Amino acid sequence: MIEKLVIANRGEIALRILRACRELGIKTVAVHSTADYSLKHVLLADESVCIGPPASSQSYLNMPAIISAAEVTDSVAIHPGYGFLAENADFAERVEDSGFVFVGPRAETIRIMGDKVSAIRVMKGHGVPCVPGSDGPLGDDADENLRVARDVGYPVIIKASGGGGGRGMRVVHTEASLLNAIGITRAEARAAFGNDQVYMEKFLERDCSMQRRHQKVIEEAPAPGVTMRQRRLMGERCVEACRAVGYRSAGTMEFLYQDGEFYFIEMNTRIQVEHPVTELVTGIDLVKAQLLIASGERLAYTQSDVQIRGHAMECRINAEDPKTFMPSPGPIRLWHAPGGPGIRVDSHVYSGYNVPPYYDSLIGKVIAHGDTRETAIARMKNALAEMVIEGIRTNVPLHQEIFNHAAFQKGGTDIHYLERRLGLR
C-alpha cells in the first residue's frame, strides 16, 4: 500500500481524496497556493506545502513545484484529482520519471485517449459508433473544410482536440460562418489548452444531464430512457477498448444519445466531478479503487459484481449569481449542509471560509439517492430547501427551479432544455 501521497489539487476533490487516504491508512501531503492555506484538507492533512501564489499557472499547474513537494516530504505517490494537471500526459510522465506513482492512467494512455481525435480512432477500431465528422483534425485548406462540412451536414460543431470543461466548442449552422468559427475555436484552444488542433462533428440534439454553455449543472445515473441492454452493450465495448489500450485507474467514456442510438464523443482520463452518482448506484468507492490500483492491489470485485441499484442525482453548488452566473467570491458567514436518508454532501467549505476569486466557482456537490428517480428527486428537493449558505450568492435557487419543472421531473429532456427554459442562450 502507498505510504504517503501528495494531493495535487484543491477544494472538494482534494478533501475527498484525503478521506479515502485516511480510510486506507495513507499519510497525506496537501500542496496549496497562498490563497488556499485555510482549505479544509490543508488543515486536516498530515503535512502541507505551499507551492506558489494564487495564480494556477504558478501553483496548481506548476509541475516542478508539485514534484519538489513530493520529494521534500518523502512521498511515494501523487493524486491529481480532476482539472488542473489530471489529464496532462507530460505531468504523468514527469511524475513517473521522478520515481513517484501517478494515481491515474499511464502517460501514453492519456495521450491516446485524452486526445479526442485519437480516442475516436481507437473506439471506431473496436466497433463503437461515433458521431459523423471529419475523422481527424481539420487542416488549413479552407475548401477542404467546407467540403467536409457539406458532407457531414449542417449544423456542425467545431471542437478542440485537447479541450474540456465546456471550452473549445463552437456550433456552426451555415457555411458562411464555418471558416471564421474554425479560426476562433483554434485561437481559444491554443490559449486554453496550448493545443490549437480542432476537429468537426455533426451537431446533434442530445439527451443529457442539465447543462448550460456546455457545462453540466445536474448529473444523474442511470440516464433516463437508456435501456439495460443498451447500457450493457456500451459497457462491453468500452471495456474492450480499455483493455486494448492497457487502461488503468478511473476514466469516463462520454456518449451522445439520440433516437435510440448512442455515439461515442470523448473520454475523460481521470476521476469525474460527478463520480458520486456512480458510487451511490454501484456501491463502489471510486477514489479508494484508484488508490488500490495505484498501490498494485487487486480489486475485490469483478465486472459481473457491478450492479446498478436505485437512482442518484447530483447538483453542483457554485458560488455564483443564479441568474447572471457571475462569480460570487467572499466570506461565507453561515454554512449548513442538508442531511437525511439518501443525502450526501461533498464540500470543502465551512462557516467562516473565504471563497477565493481565483479558481472555479464550485464549492460543493449535493447528491441524492433513492430506490426510484422520483424518490431521488423528492430527496433532492428537501435537501436544497434545507441548505443554508449566507454571505455569498449561489446557484441553489436555480437548482430548486429546475427540480420544480414538470419536464425535468418527467425525464428525457435534451441538452439545451435548461438554456431554452431559462433564456440563457
Side-chain angles (χ1 to χ4, degrees), residues 58-179:
Q58 300 177 59
S59 52
Y60 298 107
L61 295 175
N62 188 335
M63 298 184 200
I66 294 171
I67 293 174
S68 293
E71 291 173 343
V72 300
T73 57
D74 294 322
S75 296
V76 175
I78 299 176
H79 195 311
Y82 56 69
F84 294 127
L85 295 171
E87 294 182 277
N88 189 305
D90 291 339
F91 179 60
E93 188 171 64
R94 290 175 71 169
V95 168
E96 299 279 0
D97 287 348
S98 298
F100 303 104
V101 175
F102 180 77
V103 183
R106 297 175 180 85
E108 59 268 27
T109 312
I110 296 176
R111 289 194 175 96
I112 295 171
M113 299 305 292
D115 180 272
K116 294 176 174 58
V117 172
S118 61
I120 288 171
R121 290 196 185 109
V122 170
M123 298 304 279
K124 279 186 175 180
H126 289 85
V128 179
C130 297
V131 179
S134 56
D135 293 327
L138 296 175
D140 296 324
D141 188 327
D143 291 336
E144 176 63 14
N145 291 338
L146 290 167
R147 183 197 66 76
V148 171
R150 285 193 293 268
D151 290 345
V152 172
Y154 289 93
V156 298
I157 183 168
I158 309 302
K159 303 173 75 172
S161 297
R167 293 176 296 173
M169 300 182 188
R170 191 155 275 99
V171 179
V172 182
H173 293 274
T174 64
E175 186 170 285
S177 57
L178 178 70
L179 299 181

Side-chain angles (χ1 to χ4, degrees), residues 271-417:
I271 195 75
Q272 282 281 72
V273 180
E274 58 268 30
H275 74 273
V277 296
T278 302
E279 292 181 333
L280 289 180
V281 297
T282 62
I284 294 173
D285 185 327
L286 295 179
V287 179
K288 183 178 176 180
Q290 281 189 297
L291 295 169
L292 290 171
I293 291 168
S295 298
E297 304 284 338
R298 292 184 64 86
L299 298 177
Y301 49 85
T302 65
Q303 187 65 43
S304 61
D305 298 320
V306 181
Q307 302 294 324
I308 295 177
R309 296 177 177 85
H311 203 98
M313 313 191 87
E314 174 182 290
C315 289
R316 297 191 188 189
I317 309 301
N318 297 331
E320 63 185 19
D321 186 283
K323 295 187 181 296
T324 66
F325 304 110
M326 291 295 294
S328 179
I332 295 178
R333 292 195 303 269
L334 179 62
W335 165 268
H336 174 73
I343 296 299
R344 165 177 163 179
V345 179
D346 285 15
S347 178
H348 58 287
V349 306
Y350 50 87
S351 295
Y353 173 72
N354 191 70
V355 179
Y358 312 106
Y359 312 109
D360 185 89
S361 62
L362 181 71
I363 58 171
K365 302 178 299 195
V366 178
I367 311 98
H369 180 256
D371 292 336
T372 65
R373 188 173 188 269
E374 292 72 23
T375 300
I377 288 176
R379 288 177 170 175
M380 181 64 80
K381 291 172 71 172
N382 285 340
L384 293 171
E386 289 181 20
M387 196 162 198
V388 179
I389 309 171
E390 295 182 0
I392 61 171
R393 291 181 177 273
T394 73
N395 63 345
V396 170
L398 173 63
H399 285 295
Q400 291 176 310
E401 187 172 353
I402 293 171
F403 274 83
N404 284 320
H405 289 169
F408 175 77
Q409 292 176 5
K410 183 180 178 181
T413 51
D414 68 47
I415 198 171
H416 303 296
Y417 170 77

Side-chain angles (χ1 to χ4, degrees), residues 157 165-167 169 203 206-219 254-256 265-266 272 274 316 325 398-399 402 408 413-422 424-425:
I157 183 168
R167 293 176 296 173
M169 300 182 188
F203 183 67
R206 295 172 277 179
D207 177 9
C208 187
S209 303
M210 291 288 100
Q211 295 198 22
R212 68 168 181 86
R213 299 168 189 168
H214 305 298
Q215 290 187 315
K216 297 180 181 70
V217 176
I218 297 172
E219 292 100 357
E254 294 196 5
F255 291 84
L256 298 184
I265 53 171
E266 66 184 52
Q272 282 281 72
E274 58 268 30
R316 297 191 188 189
F325 304 110
L398 173 63
H399 285 295
I402 293 171
F408 175 77
T413 51
D414 68 47
I415 198 171
H416 303 296
Y417 170 77
L418 179 58
E419 294 176 336
R420 287 196 303 266
R421 183 69 175 80
L422 301 182
L424 302 179
R425 300 190 75 174

Side-chain angles (χ1 to χ4, degrees), residues 9-27:
N9 214 296
R10 64 178 306 280
E12 67 85 19
I13 186 59
L15 181 59
R16 175 71 179 84
I17 294 167
L18 180 139
R19 287 169 171 162
C21 286
R22 282 188 162 187
E23 185 175 335
L24 292 171
I26 299 172
K27 292 182 178 180

